[in-house]
């Protein structure tokens, strides 16, 4: 019976069973018993030892970039398992506590690792790319090391997903890093109110997918959705309180996600202008240009800058999105004829060659200066950057490329050839527009997974690979043009698979190893 038990155990190792011939070992007598000389009929029976097949990479979303196989049982949490932090890596305490809670094992703090443990360690600056990690599984334990806290955190996401998808963290070494530094989701919370709880759920979902940016477009023609102290008169109901925003931002920061605020101007300011109607832009016939502020008036800049400064304090992250898209004056076929007051101001400021686009470009540059003075990296939509003109757009503003539908549309290569840095928000693949107006259709995860990469900035065509280093990443965008077309729960369900496909392609833009059917099945399991 003892021999049968040993044989049975030999076939139930983690990560694939026995997988090979057992290595013979010498039989020994049990302690405390007499040894009897063996006879030809009682030859000692070899005792099998456990062997393992070469491990395979864990199934995760996004997939790990490199896995060095090894033979061994892998790791799964046991009764004595814990999460510990290597000496000198105390900054990882929050990551350790979170993983321990998720796995239902002990958190033992900054102590030496022992058999059965997961150890987190900061490897030090210069030991790898930002957000990278090395995960080593051997000797019945796991060690996750990276040059920064974010990388180690992503290693813990790999552990969590490996256990969920396969029941074990496979033996061997994983070396992993993101292909792009900016990976995220943007939600239009202006046209449609989303609760703080819903946004927090998206933050947790994003963290497990190794996404690191959440954009909040909270001001538009329909509403202004975050409380304001400087201009309470512009705030709509319902809206997020500042306490709720701080809670969302704190949760995101703990999961290595930056929340990016967006106050879009000089267009999309209808909610602000409802409280300040004298600042509305009017055309030659005196008709109000929907959502557009009069950029010739100093008072217009003052109110927008008040709001930019206020929310730069509320959102401590690195970035601020200043919009710049779809300014009604520049959507006219002849801006100078349609808006003669703006044309006159442009000539006054910039000479006889000055045009309305120069006023708009100067507006963008001035708003960029305001947020940069607050310590932020400014971002703006691509249709706020114009060809030619007396005034050139600030080269330091990151271009968020979404469309080629505007009048005088510029192909993506024009922005890149100017040396600009670009984030991919391609409206063909990455725009989830509620109600599907204006020929938009809900994007599918399958399309993103099969056809999109960060180089596919417009339509379905990729830009030349020589520009790859200027493309900082990609963001999936939820726009609520027809706000009642879906509930917030339906939105969460609708973006679920596309968001996972995006996560895969911004982490590793190479051809995926898994087929779409395999990926989809894995997404359901995770």
């Amino acid at each position: 019976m003892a021999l049968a038990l040993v044989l049975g155990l030999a076939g139930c190792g983690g990560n694939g069973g026995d997988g090979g011939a057992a290595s013979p070992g010498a039989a020994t007598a049990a302690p405390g018993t007499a040894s009897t000389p063996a006879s030809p009929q009682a030859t000692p029976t070899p005792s099998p030892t456990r062997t393992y097949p070469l491990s395979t990479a864990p199934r995760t979303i996004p997939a790990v970039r490199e896995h060095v196989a090894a033979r061994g049982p892998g790791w799964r949490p046991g009764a004595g398992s814990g999460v510990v932090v290597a000496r000198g890596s105390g900054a990882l305490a929050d990551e350790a506590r979170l993983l321990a809670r998720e796995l239902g094992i002990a958190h033992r703090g900054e102590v030496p690792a022992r058999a059965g443990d997961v150890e987190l360690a900061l490897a030090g600056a210069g030991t790898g790319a930002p957000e990278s990690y090395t995960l080593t599984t051997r000797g019945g334990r796991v060690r996750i090391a990276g040059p920064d806290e974010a990388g180690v955190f992503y290693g813990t996401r790999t552990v969590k997903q490996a256990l969920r998808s396969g029941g074990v963290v496979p033996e061997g070494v994983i070396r992993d890093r993101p292909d792009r530094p900016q990976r995220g989701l943007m939600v239009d919370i202006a046209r449609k109110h989303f609760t703080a709880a819903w946004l927090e759920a998206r933050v947790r979902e994003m963290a497990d997918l190794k996404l690191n940016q959440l954009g909040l477009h909270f001001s538009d023609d329909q509403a202004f959705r975050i409380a304001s102290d400087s201009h309470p008169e512009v705030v709509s109901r319902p809206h997020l309180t500042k306490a709720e925003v701080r809670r969302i931002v704190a949760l995101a920061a703990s999961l290595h996600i930056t929340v990016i605020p967006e106050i879009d101007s000089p267009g999309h300011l209808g909610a602000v202008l409802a409280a300040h109607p004298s600042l509305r832009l009017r055309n030659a016939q005196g008709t109000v240009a929907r959502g557009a502020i009069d950029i010739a008036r100093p008072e217009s800049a003052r109110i927008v800058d008040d709001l930019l400064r206020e929310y730069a304090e509320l959102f401590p992250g690195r970035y601020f999105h200043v919009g710049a898209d779809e300014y009604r004056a520049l959507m006219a076929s002849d801006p100078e004829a349609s808006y003669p007051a703006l044309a006159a101001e442009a000539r006054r400021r910039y000479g006889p060659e000055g045009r309305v686009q120069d006023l708009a470009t100067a507006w963008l540059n001035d708003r960029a200066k305001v947020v940069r003075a607050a310590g932020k990296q400014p971002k703006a939509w691509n249709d706020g950057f114009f060809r030619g003109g007396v005034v050139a757009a600030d080269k330091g503003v990151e271009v968020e490329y979404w469309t080629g539908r505007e009048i005088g549309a510029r192909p993506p290569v024009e922005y890149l050839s100017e040396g600009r840095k670009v984030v991919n928000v391609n409206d063909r693949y990455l725009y989830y527009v509620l109600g599907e107006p204006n020929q938009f259709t809900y994007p599918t995860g399958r399309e993103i997974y099969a056809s999109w990469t960060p180089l596919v900035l417009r339509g379905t065509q990729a830009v030349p690979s020589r520009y790859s280093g200027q493309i900082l990443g990609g963001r999936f965008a939820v726009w609520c043009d027809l706000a009642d077309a879906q509930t917030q729960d339906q939105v969460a369900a609708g973006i679920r698979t596309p968001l996972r496909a995006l996560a895969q392609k911004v982490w590793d833009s190479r051809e995926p190893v898994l087929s779409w059917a395999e990926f989809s099945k894995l997404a359901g399991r995770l």
Side-chain angles (χ1 to χ4, degrees):
M1 291 298 292
L3 179 58
L5 178 61
V6 171
L7 287 168
L9 288 173
C12 65
N15 201 42
D18 57 1
S23 301
T28 57
T33 62
S35 179
T36 304
S39 66
Q41 289 76 27
T43 303
T45 304
S47 175
T49 60
R50 234 166 148 180
T51 62
Y52 302 89
L54 281 173
S55 60
T56 57
R59 291 291 178 94
T60 62
I61 297 176
V64 301
R65 294 174 68 91
E66 178 186 351
H67 175 251
V68 180
R71 297 184 186 276
W75 181 89
R76 55 169 58 90
S81 295
V83 181
V84 303
V85 173
R87 187 178 299 279
S89 299
L92 296 171
D94 288 344
E95 288 76 12
R97 290 190 189 95
L98 175 62
L99 182 63
R101 186 166 65 248
E102 290 172 327
L103 301 186
I105 59 179
H107 167 249
R108 293 205 304 277
E110 200 169 333
V111 298
R114 63 193 189 197
D117 283 351
V118 177
E119 180 185 41
L120 309 185
L122 288 172
T127 57
E131 300 183 289
S132 67
Y133 67 93
T134 300
L135 190 157
T136 305
T137 305
R138 68 164 63 102
R141 67 185 70 181
V142 173
R143 186 174 194 270
I144 305 170
D148 52 34
E149 293 173 52
V152 175
F153 174 71
Y154 297 142
T156 68
R157 303 305 85 192
T158 296
V159 167
K160 179 181 176 182
Q161 288 198 27
L163 292 171
R164 186 169 292 177
S165 65
V168 66
V169 182
E171 201 83 4
V173 179
I174 292 168
R175 297 185 183 93
D176 205 10
R177 61 175 177 81
D179 186 54
R180 307 287 158 164
Q182 297 192 35
R183 311 175 303 279
L185 169 68
M186 191 229 75
V187 183
D188 169 12
I189 65 171
R191 294 178 178 92
K192 182 180 183 67
H193 174 66
F194 290 87
T195 64
W198 189 92
L199 292 167
E200 289 167 351
R202 302 289 74 72
V203 166
R204 293 186 178 94
E205 180 181 11
M206 291 169 62
D208 278 353
L209 296 171
K210 303 183 174 80
L211 299 173
N212 64 0
Q213 292 181 343
L214 172 64
L216 295 180
H217 176 94
F218 63 90
S219 169
D220 213 300
D221 295 342
Q222 292 79 359
F224 192 104
R225 297 286 189 187
I226 296 178
S228 171
D229 298 317
S230 67
H231 288 282
E233 73 280 2
V234 308
V235 180
S236 307
R237 292 188 180 278
H239 61 262
L240 297 174
T241 67
K242 286 194 171 182
E244 288 175 321
V245 171
R246 291 187 184 100
R247 193 175 73 212
I248 293 165
V249 167
L251 173 64
S254 74
L255 299 174
H256 302 281
I257 293 170
T258 299
V259 182
I260 303 174
E262 181 190 349
I263 296 179
D264 200 347
S265 77
H268 294 280
L269 281 173
V272 171
L273 293 171
H276 296 271
S278 65
L279 299 181
R280 289 171 170 156
L281 177 68
R282 296 176 182 271
N283 67 11
Q285 289 73 43
T287 303
V288 170
R290 181 171 178 263
I293 201 166
D294 186 345
I295 58 178
R297 300 185 60 175
E299 301 94 324
S300 297
R302 280 198 287 271
I303 189 171
V304 172
D305 290 349
D306 286 346
L307 294 167
L308 292 175
R309 293 187 182 100
E310 177 178 3
Y311 294 104
E313 292 184 5
L314 182 63
F315 293 89
R318 177 183 174 189
Y319 303 94
F320 205 117
H321 201 307
V322 297
D325 66 314
E326 296 184 321
Y327 187 49
R328 292 284 171 174
L330 291 167
M331 296 170 72
S333 58
D334 187 344
E336 283 68 38
S338 298
Y339 295 89
L342 291 184
E345 179 64 15
R347 290 190 297 271
R348 186 188 73 79
R349 291 190 195 180
Y350 307 114
E353 300 302 315
R355 293 183 290 166
V356 174
Q357 77 169 51
D358 295 308
L359 279 185
T361 301
W363 175 278
L364 167 63
N365 292 346
D366 288 345
R367 307 297 74 77
K369 286 178 185 176
V370 170
V371 299
R372 193 175 280 120
K376 310 298 184 184
Q377 165 63 53
K379 292 174 168 287
W381 298 113
N382 68 284
D383 53 328
F385 297 76
F386 306 102
R387 183 185 290 118
V390 175
V391 181
D394 183 337
K395 283 287 187 70
V397 179
E398 291 180 4
V399 178
E400 302 250 322
Y401 194 96
W402 72 281
T403 192
R405 303 185 188 202
E406 75 273 20
I407 294 175
R410 304 172 65 200
V413 168
E414 280 198 27
Y415 302 86
L416 296 165
S417 64
E418 292 173 0
R420 297 187 183 277
K421 294 182 177 179
V422 177
V423 175
N424 191 323
V425 202
N426 184 330
D427 63 353
R428 165 67 177 77
Y429 291 99
L430 306 180
Y431 259 38
Y432 191 93
V433 185
L434 296 199
E436 301 182 304
N438 302 320
Q439 299 181 322
F440 284 109
T441 58
Y442 293 130
T444 68
R446 185 170 194 160
E447 289 178 312
I448 297 168
Y449 192 77
S451 305
W452 180 86
T453 75
L455 296 182
V456 181
L457 283 164
R458 174 174 167 180
T460 60
Q461 296 299 310
V463 299
S465 59
R466 66 179 179 274
Y467 294 116
S468 183
Q470 292 170 237
I471 301 173
L472 302 176
R475 190 169 302 112
F476 192 82
V478 176
W479 293 103
C480 302
D481 291 42
L482 300 176
D484 295 331
Q486 291 188 344
T487 67
Q488 62 178 13
D489 289 340
Q490 287 173 324
V491 173
I495 69 174
R496 182 182 178 278
T497 305
L499 197 60
R500 280 149 182 75
L502 172 87
Q504 174 60 45
K505 301 301 278 289
V506 290
W507 188 266
D508 188 348
S509 58
R510 297 174 297 182
E511 187 73 20
V513 172
L514 298 184
S515 68
W516 170 250
E518 291 170 325
F519 182 86
S520 183
K521 183 178 179 181
L522 176 62
R525 184 183 304 170
L526 295 177

